[in-house]
């Protein structure tokens, strides 16, 4: 299965909006509004165009991932990080490695852009395959109650989270 991954362009937006909606329609732990979140993120200051990627199979967009800027704050400091939210694949193409390819490419680009970490709220059995660990082991916490096994982080550079601890501060668009 030959998958091409490239940066999303504005002409892709309507297709990606529908793709995300369809990808999460039958997800048990979804509010079914991820497509609206992504739309808001793309018009926010947290948006990084190079980190909004699409996966193409046979000239059709079948997957999408977006990473956006967040902060990790404690009483003394604020540190920049990225949020992975969400990775989406059309149901017909799920379980074929497309999400993994999107994640790996997003990691590579984020690292090249000198981002040092990514934090996410996601499936506890899926993301560890890509190097994610429970965020609390880095002393990083979300600003709301979630099972600790679903809050994860990854260091894009060795020990890049060693001296960073605190609570994630999401852009307001996450809560609109």
């Amino acid at each position: 299965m030959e998958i091409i991954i490239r940066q999303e362009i504005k002409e892709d937006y309507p297709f990606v909006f529908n793709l995300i909606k369809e990808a999460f329609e039958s997800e048990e732990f979804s509010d079914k509004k991820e497509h609206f979140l992504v739309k808001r993120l793309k018009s926010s200051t947290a948006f990084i165009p190079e980190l909004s990627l699409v996966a193409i199979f046979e000239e059709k967009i079948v997957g999408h991932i977006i990473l956006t800027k967040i902060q990790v704050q404690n009483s003394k400091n604020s540190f920049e990080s990225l949020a992975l939210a969400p990775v989406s694949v059309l149901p017909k193409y799920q379980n074929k490695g497309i999400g993994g390819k999107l994640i790996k490419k997003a990691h590579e680009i984020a690292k090249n852009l000198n981002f040092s970490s990514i934090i996410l709220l996601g499936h506890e059995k899926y993301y560890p395959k890509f190097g994610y660990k429970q965020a609390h082991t880095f002393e990083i916490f979300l600003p709301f109650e979630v099972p600790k096994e679903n809050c994860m982080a990854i260091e894009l550079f060795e020990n890049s989270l060693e001296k960073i601890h605190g609570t994630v501060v999401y852009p307001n668009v996450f809560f609109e």
Side-chain angles (χ1 to χ4, degrees), residues 15-57:
F15 301 102
V16 169
F17 183 85
N18 290 324
L19 178 151
I20 297 167
K21 181 180 179 186
E22 191 175 333
F24 284 92
E25 272 177 341
S26 60
E27 280 297 313
E28 181 182 355
F29 298 108
S30 166
D31 65 1
K32 315 293 188 252
K33 296 179 182 176
E34 287 84 358
H35 52 302
F36 292 114
L37 169 62
V38 170
K39 183 177 181 180
R40 290 191 309 271
L41 285 168
K42 289 177 191 173
S43 61
S44 77
T45 58
F47 182 58
I48 306 160
E50 297 90 340
L51 292 173
S52 185
L53 307 174
V54 292
I56 299 171
F57 176 66

Side-chain angles (χ1 to χ4, degrees), residues 106-125:
H107 285 181
E108 177 188 319
I109 294 169
K111 195 173 177 178
N112 289 339
L113 293 172
N114 279 323
F115 287 98
S116 60
S117 62
I118 302 170
I119 299 167
L120 63 82
L121 177 61
H123 197 281
E124 73 276 5
K125 290 189 175 27

Side-chain angles (χ1 to χ4, degrees), residues 86-136:
V87 59
S88 312
V89 177
L90 286 172
K92 177 180 172 182
Y93 297 95
Q94 290 176 4
N95 302 308
K96 297 182 186 310
I98 296 168
K101 288 179 190 229
L102 283 163
I103 291 167
K104 288 174 186 172
K105 187 65 172 178
H107 285 181
E108 177 188 319
I109 294 169
K111 195 173 177 178
N112 289 339
L113 293 172
N114 279 323
F115 287 98
S116 60
S117 62
I118 302 170
I119 299 167
L120 63 82
L121 177 61
H123 197 281
E124 73 276 5
K125 290 189 175 27
Y126 182 68
Y127 291 97
K129 294 185 229 178
F130 305 100
Y132 286 85
K133 298 177 181 160
Q134 291 183 14
H136 73 90

